[in-house]
Amino acid sequence: MKKGLDSLATVASTAPWIGLLGTVMGIPTAFIGCAGSAWSCRAAVVARLSVSVWPTALSIIVALAALCFYKYLRAKVETFDSEMHHTCLCLLNDLGRSLPPTRI
């Protein structure tokens, strides 16, 4: 059951970096509209920079969701593992009491 949790943790840790890469790749395109006056250049840069920030925002949302699910599922798996260990010990104790003692 723990096998799939590793990939979820990988998504949670790499998603912000992939989004940041998308933002960095979008920044150079922000300066394409700078051929006219200073005001039109600023307007073009601000408009395109706001578009280039979206990959980072979306990747942070994906990373937070993956992290929340990872922590939740990891806690469930650990609880299940602990219950199984406790049940195994109880079964061994019950079997030990019901078997006749052996003499060596």
Side-chain angles (χ1 to χ4, degrees):
M1 287 192 302
K2 292 180 182 180
K3 199 183 289 186
L5 290 179
D6 293 337
S7 60
L8 198 57
T10 302
V11 168
S13 64
T14 58
W17 293 106
I18 294 171
L20 188 62
L21 177 67
T23 297
V24 168
M25 303 226 2
I27 287 174
T29 64
F31 299 103
I32 291 174
C34 288
S37 68
W39 286 106
S40 65
C41 181
R42 287 183 191 144
V45 168
V46 167
R48 290 202 173 117
L49 280 179
S50 67
V51 170
S52 71
V53 173
W54 277 104
T56 301
L58 292 176
S59 67
I60 288 173
I61 291 170
V62 167
L64 287 175
L67 183 64
C68 288
F69 282 123
Y70 170 75
K71 287 189 174 206
Y72 173 76
L73 292 174
R74 189 173 128 215
K76 287 288 187 183
V77 167
E78 286 179 2
T79 302
F80 181 73
D81 189 34
S82 175
E83 288 176 1
M84 290 299 291
H85 183 71
H86 177 70
T87 303
C88 181
L89 290 177
C90 288
L91 179 65
L92 287 174
N93 285 336
D94 289 343
L95 287 174
R97 280 187 234 133
S98 65
L99 294 175
T102 59
R103 295 182 188 226
I104 298 180

